[in-house]
Amino acid sequence: ACSYEVRVFGVRSAMSIARALRLCPQAQLLPVRMSRYQEASAAVFRIFSRYTDRIEPVSSDEAFLDLTGCERLFGAAATVAAQIRAEVRQELGLTVSAGVAPNKFLAKLASEAAKPDGLLELLPAAVEQFLLPLPVGRLWGVGAVTAERLRRQGVETVAALRGVDKALLRRWFGSSGELLWFLARGEDDRPVQAVEGAKSIGAEETFAHDLSDPDELRRELLALAERVARRVRRLQLVGCCLTLKVRYADFETVTRSQTLAEGIDHAPALCQEAEALLARTEAGRRPVRLLGVTLSRLCAKGIGQQSLFQADGERKEALDQALDHLHRRFGEGGVCRASLLGRRLPLQPEED
């Protein structure tokens, strides 16, 4: 995480400490207190749950709340947001920024505009005035590479993007181009999905440089498998269907899926299955811009067919528990597998 004072030097959240210090050598580093972060996060989410059970966590300090139907109990959505902010400040001494809007995409933008400590309600009549002047880089899925490609086409703002035909955007970016067309109009029909109702858990990364080296691709798959497996274990679930997503340098996107004989939550096993799916693509022969790994058909751990190799499974589970404990205590960078040492940082990590 980073304070607003260091952001003017180019420091961003989720950036490595080494890079942050290169950008801002005078920055002060505070020790990681992962258990305290988790405690505060749980307390904030408990306050959220006073108003709705439709809560979709995005990270430890961010979530989407669906307040549809709560008006008679608690008042309008903006009133609820203001009350949540007041309760978090009063009970925990923390500030919260909030965005209230007709859909998740616009609520996210409104929340960002309200930072560091504000509330912005984006009514339907005000969407165009708010959205059109924004740079295209503010849209979901538009990383540095996509933004530069749009800039070369003379498209630098949402207003300019709105003038591009949907078929042309699809020709440039495949299915992602169609998504950009809808986002430029403020349209996002994805529902708020509570964790208990999650149908899949996945992670993907857009790379700063296209990857062709097989070893690099395998390392990225392992890193993705680690993230997915850790989230699945945290929810005490296993997944029985694995899907691999590959986006090539020309933005063509393909997926490959495999139904597994038993549910898994162990990263090396997940990575092994993902590598087999990768072999069914042109990755390596064609440069890769993005990789994604998703587990679906989730069920509670311990339900369904169990492994015949019980002792081996117990050793793996003990190792996973040790790794999870270290991650909780020291954060994401606290421990990693040796094969991931020296791995280049992702340009645009995403999870769903």
Side-chain angles (χ1 to χ4, degrees), residues 179-255:
L179 174 62
L180 290 178
W181 189 89
F182 284 108
L183 294 181
R185 287 154 179 79
E187 298 178 18
D188 177 19
D189 62 359
R190 296 171 309 148
V192 171
Q193 189 176 63
V195 169
E196 291 77 9
K199 296 180 180 178
S200 65
I201 293 176
E204 62 182 44
E205 288 180 0
T206 301
F207 308 116
H209 306 283
D210 299 335
L211 302 185
S212 297
D213 180 74
D215 289 335
E216 277 195 292
L217 290 168
R218 283 192 289 269
R219 278 197 297 272
E220 295 302 333
L221 282 182
L222 178 57
L224 289 168
E226 289 280 8
R227 284 162 49 190
V228 171
R230 195 156 55 244
R231 293 182 64 206
V232 168
R233 290 195 299 271
R234 188 165 64 240
L235 298 174
Q236 298 185 344
L237 301 172
V238 293
C240 298
C241 182
L242 175 66
T243 300
L244 173 72
K245 176 180 177 181
V246 178
R247 178 170 297 151
Y248 301 114
D250 60 2
F251 288 89
E252 181 186 352
T253 303
V254 299
T255 59

Side-chain angles (χ1 to χ4, degrees), residues 132-177:
L132 294 182
L134 296 179
V136 290
R138 295 287 298 278
L139 300 182
W140 269 334
V142 178
V145 175
T146 303
E148 174 59 23
R149 189 171 177 187
L150 287 168
R151 189 193 65 78
R152 291 198 300 267
Q153 299 291 339
V155 179
E156 299 192 36
T157 66
V158 175
L161 179 61
R162 190 177 287 194
V164 181
D165 184 74
K166 186 194 295 186
L168 183 57
L169 285 173
R170 191 173 183 87
R171 194 182 316 150
W172 288 349
F173 302 111
S175 58
S176 298

Side-chain angles (χ1 to χ4, degrees), residues 15 64 78 96 107 111 121 134 152 172 189 201 205 247 256 286 308-309 325 332 337:
M15 181 179 288
F64 291 111
V96 173
S111 176
E121 182 179 16
L134 296 179
R152 291 198 300 267
W172 288 349
D189 62 359
I201 293 176
E205 288 180 0
R247 178 170 297 151
R256 299 289 185 269
R286 295 172 63 182
L308 296 175
F309 304 98
H325 172 74
E332 292 296 318
R337 297 181 190 273

Side-chain angles (χ1 to χ4, degrees), residues 304-320:
Q305 183 177 339
Q306 304 298 302
S307 172
L308 296 175
F309 304 98
Q310 189 64 31
D312 183 54
E314 290 175 356
R315 285 193 295 269
K316 290 178 180 177
E317 185 170 353
L319 173 61
D320 287 337

Side-chain angles (χ1 to χ4, degrees), residues 98-116:
V100 178
N103 59 51
K104 290 164 64 172
F105 164 61
L106 293 173
K108 171 69 172 175
L109 290 180
S111 176
E112 291 174 348
K115 290 181 178 180

Side-chain angles (χ1 to χ4, degrees), residues 13-80:
S13 292
M15 181 179 288
S16 71
I17 290 177
R19 186 180 175 194
L21 288 177
R22 285 197 297 270
L23 293 171
C24 185
Q26 65 270 38
Q28 296 182 13
L29 290 179
L30 299 177
V32 172
R33 297 190 299 160
M34 187 56 61
S35 61
R36 181 69 182 106
Y37 306 152
Q38 292 170 335
E39 179 185 344
S41 174
V44 171
F45 275 75
R46 282 195 294 271
I47 293 175
F48 293 164
S49 67
R50 295 171 186 172
Y51 296 92
T52 180
D53 59 355
R54 295 188 295 275
I55 302 170
E56 179 180 340
V58 179
S59 65
S60 62
D61 65 346
E62 186 176 6
F64 291 111
L65 278 64
D66 184 352
L67 297 172
T68 305
C70 299
E71 294 86 355
R72 292 185 63 181
L73 280 175
F74 304 114
T79 302
V80 173

